[in-house]
Amino acid sequence: MPETVETVFASVVTRNPGEPEFHQAVREVLESIGPALARHPEYAEARIIERICEPERQVIFRVPWEDDHGRVRVNRGFRVEFNSALGPFKGGLRFHPSVYLGIVKFLGFEQIFKNALTGLPIGGGKGGADFDPKGRSDREVMRFCQSFMTELYRHIGAQTDVPAGDIGVGSREIGYLFGQYKRITNRYESGVLTGKGLSYGGAQARREATGYGAVFFAEEMLKQTGDSLDGKRVVVSGSGNVAIYAIEKVHQLGGTVVACSDSTGYVLDEKGIDLELLRELKEQRRARLDDYVRHVPHAVAVSGRTVWEVPCDLALPCATQNEIGGAEAAALVAGGCVAVVEGANMPTTPEAVRILGRAGVRFAPGKAANAGGVAVSALEMQQNASRDSWTFAQSERRLQETMRDIHARCWATAEEYGLPGDYVAGANINGFRRVAEAMLAHGVV
């Protein structure tokens, strides 16, 4: 990084102590944008970097709720409204024990540039709580969501801040959150949340969008070198919403996903993951992945090991942040991997990115590759505003067009700045430049 940018980064670390994920996300962007800063000195003069690294608003609140045994529980809720230069704050809610302010800020910071890359009028934000929905009854989850929304409702709105789902927040949780918002405000404001059920304003293909979008991006990467997904051996981490629909789209485009994972380990099925069985286990029974082998005798369950040890052509990390470190990256290189496409947010550490780059493995950062979810969320907002409803085919077509456009922006920007094939630089510079220009236009606010 240029010395002036290093000074800004040092200030970010000092002002935000004990938040390593946020520091990592900021450094990853700042390391890439030097060429843009050199070409646009007005960004430094207007202190764009300093302003973009400081959230517009951070809200932390208590979430008390009662479990099924009548015991009062207390969790902590968060909403970080990071940047609204391009439109209302937009980003998901994550319910997971690991959630704290640093996680939410890293996710919100990433969301600024991800949303900018879509070309749609949405700013960046993120939220969540250190609540674990696993093992909780529907009624416990409902009571938690109602308590969470009782505070959150005053900070959100269709023209202000539009949350969606993330890890631990699916259609069930969005439904409970929307119901409480409607009850408190006495308004049927469909556009206040995205990821809603189809029966009350949700968009076709929203559930599939992040996973599908990552695979569409991978397809564009391979096309760039005259290749395709057909016949490719693919490994996916995770077995939640993003992973399931990434697996589905890979299979539709001619690839074979041979392994996926959860918190217990991974399953290897050389004939290709049985998607319907995986859906049943994860979406209906909410079971552990090792149950898969009870139904598929030829499959192998491996506990306590990383799925990245499985040889593959294409890796799709779709679980959580920093799941691919140096050792995992080395294993992917040794296993013949030619491309890593992030379906999750920042699942690859800086060390791993360097190892992949030195080995010639193409790498697509999450802010570009997993932008499909927020892109279709913005389309859901558009449909809600016009009281319209699109078909699945319409939504999927718009998603594929958006991912193709994002790939083209990243590729062209990297070329423009003399960094051909560098998707990290292309994504960061393109997203940063779009937000910076909007911030300049708005003046010092």
Side-chain angles (χ1 to χ4, degrees):
M1 289 190 288
E3 186 177 345
T4 53
V5 179
E6 276 285 6
T7 301
V8 174
F9 178 70
S11 175
V12 169
V13 173
T14 300
R15 290 166 63 86
N16 303 273
E19 298 175 359
E21 298 88 357
F22 178 50
H23 304 162
Q24 179 183 336
V26 172
R27 175 173 277 281
E28 190 264 339
V29 170
L30 297 189
E31 284 179 337
S32 303
I33 62 174
L37 297 174
R39 190 175 295 187
H40 297 277
E42 65 273 21
Y43 295 167
E45 292 168 12
R47 298 293 182 95
I48 293 295
I49 303 175
E50 291 89 337
R51 289 157 60 190
I52 214 168
C53 290
E54 185 68 27
E56 293 182 29
R57 188 173 299 107
Q58 303 178 62
V59 182
I60 304 175
F61 52 95
R62 180 180 65 197
V63 188
W65 57 283
E66 191 175 276
D67 68 20
D68 287 343
H69 303 288
R71 290 193 293 265
V72 174
R73 307 278 184 167
V74 180
N75 287 94
R76 183 173 288 176
F78 305 87
R79 188 67 181 172
V80 174
E81 297 174 333
F82 225 114
N83 190 289
S84 61
L86 298 177
F89 304 104
K90 184 82 191 78
L93 298 170
R94 176 175 293 191
F95 290 171
H96 191 272
S98 66
V99 170
Y100 78 108
L101 186 58
I103 290 283
V104 178
K105 284 164 69 174
F106 123 63
L107 293 167
F109 186 76
E110 286 280 293
Q111 200 77 39
I112 299 169
F113 308 103
K114 181 189 303 186
N115 293 0
L117 281 168
T118 69
L120 298 166
I122 44 178
K126 207 74 178 186
D130 57 357
F131 168 75
D132 190 354
K134 286 184 180 177
R136 294 293 177 187
S137 70
D138 287 348
R139 296 189 66 80
E140 286 177 321
V141 172
M142 179 183 71
R143 287 192 290 270
F144 175 83
C145 289
Q146 289 172 341
S147 181
F148 184 85
M149 183 55 79
T150 298
E151 172 60 32
L152 184 67
Y153 89 94
R154 68 188 80 242
H155 306 290
I156 63 176
Q159 305 302 323
T160 306
D161 184 355
V162 183
D166 193 83
I167 293 172
V169 179
S171 58
R172 173 183 62 170
E173 289 77 15
I174 292 292
Y176 295 149
L177 291 165
F178 183 76
Q180 184 72 352
Y181 181 87
K182 183 169 67 74
R183 180 185 185 191
I184 292 171
T185 63
N186 193 33
R187 294 195 303 271
Y188 202 101
E189 192 178 338
S190 297
V192 72
L193 289 167
T194 58
K196 300 183 297 296
L198 296 178
S199 62
Y200 63 102
Q204 296 270 10
R206 173 59 190 91
R207 182 174 57 175
E208 295 85 355
T210 306
Y212 275 22
V215 178
F216 285 143
F217 195 97
E219 182 182 38
E220 292 300 313
M221 286 179 72
L222 293 169
K223 279 182 184 177
Q224 199 68 41
T225 56
D227 204 349
S228 75
L229 273 165
D230 191 41
K232 290 290 183 292
R233 178 183 171 93
V234 183
V235 168
V236 174
S237 68
S239 49
N241 184 72
V242 178
I244 284 172
Y245 291 105
I247 293 169
E248 180 171 87
K249 185 53 66 177
V250 168
H251 288 175
Q252 289 175 4
L253 294 177
T256 301
V257 176
V258 297
C260 64
S261 63
D262 66 9
S263 58
T264 63
Y266 69 87
V267 161
L268 175 63
D269 185 343
E270 292 288 355
K271 295 182 180 180
I273 294 294
D274 183 328
L275 192 57
E276 292 310 309
L277 174 58
L278 182 64
R279 277 204 185 100
E280 181 184 339
L281 291 174
K282 288 298 182 180
E283 296 182 343
Q284 297 176 28
R285 297 194 214 167
R286 301 185 189 276
R288 294 296 186 185
L289 192 56
D290 52 16
D291 281 359
Y292 184 96
V293 298
R294 298 179 188 174
H295 303 272
V296 183
H298 65 263
V300 178
V302 180
S303 299
R305 302 254 297 274
T306 174
V307 71
W308 309 120
E309 67 187 17
V310 178
C312 64
D313 301 310
L314 173 66
L316 294 171
C318 296
T320 190
Q321 66 272 2
N322 292 328
E323 57 175 295
I324 299 180
E328 290 78 15
L332 284 168
V333 171
C337 183
V338 299
V340 174
V341 177
E342 294 188 327
N345 292 303
M346 205 172 73
T348 314
T349 68
E351 179 193 8
V353 174
R354 288 191 291 271
I355 290 170
L356 295 171
R358 286 196 295 267
V361 177
R362 281 162 281 168
F363 175 74
K367 63 172 62 68
N370 73 28
V374 75
V376 175
S377 281
L379 300 180
E380 182 176 331
M381 293 165 64
Q382 182 178 332
Q383 292 167 72
N384 293 158
S386 62
R387 299 290 194 269
D388 197 3
S389 180
W390 300 352
T391 65
F392 188 95
Q394 284 176 295
S395 293
E396 185 178 12
R397 183 171 62 253
R398 286 291 300 273
L399 169 64
Q400 188 167 15
E401 290 169 357
T402 298
M403 299 312 297
R404 187 179 297 127
D405 289 345
I406 292 171
H407 179 272
R409 288 190 192 100
C410 294
W411 183 268
T413 302
E415 291 268 352
E416 178 187 349
Y417 284 88
L419 300 163
D422 188 337
Y423 286 98
V424 173
N428 288 336
I429 292 173
N430 189 277
F432 175 80
R433 196 170 56 185
R434 183 166 181 240
V435 177
E437 290 297 327
M439 293 176 71
L440 284 175
H442 296 164
V444 182
V445 293

